[in-house]
């Protein structure tokens, strides 16, 4: 198989390139050449897709499958699709579950309404950008397009820092503010499982739209944080705390306490997607303990969470130690 990855040095793109190489495929990446590295044997084409004639390096190439993680202007996604229409069999676009119109709704499936977005838009908020890019790619590739609406993505290489923050916090030891309840379900997908499924689906010439994330009961906050304690070997004590008390203290779920979205939160639906279609199409997910342990191993190797390739750095996440201590002191 001949794989083209637009980008290829970030979190999802990098995992996709690595998986393609592992399979023995012929792998090409297209990017500006300013960020990150690629495995040996990967062919690198240089270009800036936002510049005039920025896609020129793609001319004359032929691939079986392209994977695109673009999260900018939909018009740029459409330009890439048009440039590749005659030279690629299948176009996989990595979108997001954020495109749904009502993020608080539980059990959203692929037919649920999405935000209004135009395929030729040049700006917008994140949901509009992703929804518009979906439309732009479909306009060109139609049923040859595979739109992958990813949810929470964890695993080695994470450049946002959600799971790494928990691992570093647990590593410090002592009493750790654990947001309850311990049996709160967490829905996520390991980036390696996502990459493997996308390549399987693309190679199998699958088209359509899929919520690509693990089952809603895949793990819990308790299992996740217990795995952090086990992986780090730290002398940490999880102090499970009532969610109402945490929120009343002004602590922000998802940003101050990454991954955690309590029942009743306006965005709780992000962790309760309907994934029947993807599971039926072969998506499988490894145990949370494996994801956590491998992320810890990677984090110790790299030292710090890497910057997002080609994108502005996100705001810092994680609860300030002094605020945590105050909450634990009660």
């Amino acid at each position: 198989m001949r794989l083209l990855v637009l980008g290829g040095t970030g979190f999802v793109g990098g995992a996709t390139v690595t998986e393609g190489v592992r399979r023995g495929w012929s792998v090409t990446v297209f990017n500006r050449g300013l960020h990150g590295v690629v495995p040996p044997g990967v062919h690198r084409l240089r270009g800036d897709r936002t510049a005039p004639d920025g896609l020129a390096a793609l001319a004359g190439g032929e691939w079986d499958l392209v994977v695109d993680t673009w999260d900018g202007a939909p018009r740029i996604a459409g330009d890439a699709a048009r440039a590749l229409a005659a030279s690629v069999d299948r176009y996989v676009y990595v979108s997001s579950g954020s495109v749904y119109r009502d993020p608080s709704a539980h059990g959203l499936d692929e037919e649920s309404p999405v935000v209004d977005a135009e395929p030729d838009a040049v700006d917008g908020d994140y949901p509009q950008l992703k929804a518009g890019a979906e439309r732009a790619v479909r306009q060109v590739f139609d049923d040859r397009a595979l739109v992958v609406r990813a949810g929470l993505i964890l695993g080695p290489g994470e450049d946002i820092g959600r799971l790494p923050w928990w691992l570093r916090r647990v590593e410090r030891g002592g009493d750790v503010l654990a947001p309850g309840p311990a049996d709160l379900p967490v829905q996520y997908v390991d980036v390696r499982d996502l990459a493997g499924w996308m390549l399987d689906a693309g190679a199998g010439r699958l088209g359509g739209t899929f919520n690509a994330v693990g089952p809603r009961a895949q793990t819990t906050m308790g299992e996740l944080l217990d795995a952090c304690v086990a992986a780090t070997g730290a002398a940490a004590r999880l102090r499970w705390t009532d969610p109402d008390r945490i929120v009343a203290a002004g602590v922000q779920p998802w940003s101050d306490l990454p991954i955690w979205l309590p029942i009743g939160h306006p965005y709780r639906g992000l962790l309760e997607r309907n994934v029947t279609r993807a599971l039926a199409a072969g998506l499988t997910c490894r145990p949370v303990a494996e994801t956590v342990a491998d992320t810890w191993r990677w984090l110790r190797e790299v030292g710090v969470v890497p910057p997002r390739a080609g994108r502005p750095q996100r705001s810092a996440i994680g609860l300030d130690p002094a605020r945590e201590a105050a909450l634990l002191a009660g």
Side-chain angles (χ1 to χ4, degrees), residues 2 28 31 48-49 87 112 130 146-147 153 186 189 202 214 216 228 237 241 279 303 325:
R2 298 165 298 173
T28 300
N31 55 47
D48 181 352
R49 61 193 294 176
S87 55
S112 299
K130 282 295 192 181
L146 175 64
V147 173
I153 309 172
V186 174
V189 65
R216 282 186 274 178
C228 289
R237 296 174 297 278
T241 305
L279 297 178

Side-chain angles (χ1 to χ4, degrees), residues 53-226:
D53 298 322
L55 298 168
L58 298 174
E62 290 187 356
W63 298 274
D64 300 298
L65 177 66
V66 59
V67 175
D68 186 4
T69 62
W70 179 251
D71 62 1
R75 178 179 293 179
I76 303 300
D79 289 344
R82 284 185 286 273
L84 293 168
S87 55
V88 171
D89 182 51
R90 295 279 146 175
Y91 200 113
V92 178
Y93 177 66
V94 184
S95 186
S96 167
S98 298
V99 299
Y100 291 111
R101 188 176 300 166
D102 182 4
S104 66
H106 297 189
L108 292 170
D109 63 20
E110 293 83 357
E111 308 308 318
S112 299
V114 301
V115 297
D116 293 329
E118 295 302 324
D120 60 350
V122 296
D123 56 20
D125 59 21
Y126 182 74
Q128 292 172 324
L129 295 177
K130 282 295 192 181
E134 287 185 9
R135 291 187 60 192
V137 169
R138 284 197 204 94
Q139 280 186 346
V140 178
F141 276 81
D142 196 22
D143 59 359
R144 293 191 295 140
L146 175 64
V147 173
V148 179
R149 291 177 180 162
L152 172 63
I153 309 172
L154 303 176
E158 186 196 334
D159 55 7
I160 296 176
R162 295 187 177 105
L163 180 53
W165 183 85
W166 277 114
L167 285 162
R168 288 300 190 194
R169 172 59 195 94
V170 169
E171 180 194 24
R172 295 204 310 269
D175 288 345
V176 177
L177 178 66
D183 62 356
L184 180 72
V186 174
Q187 185 182 39
Y188 76 98
V189 65
D190 186 298
V191 68
R192 297 163 295 180
D193 296 332
L194 176 64
W197 180 77
M198 290 193 300
L199 296 190
D200 285 343
R205 310 190 78 198
L206 186 66
T209 301
F210 292 80
N211 286 337
V213 65
R216 282 186 274 178
Q218 183 178 358
T219 193
T220 63
M221 283 302 300
E223 291 172 347
L224 179 74
L225 296 189
D226 282 345

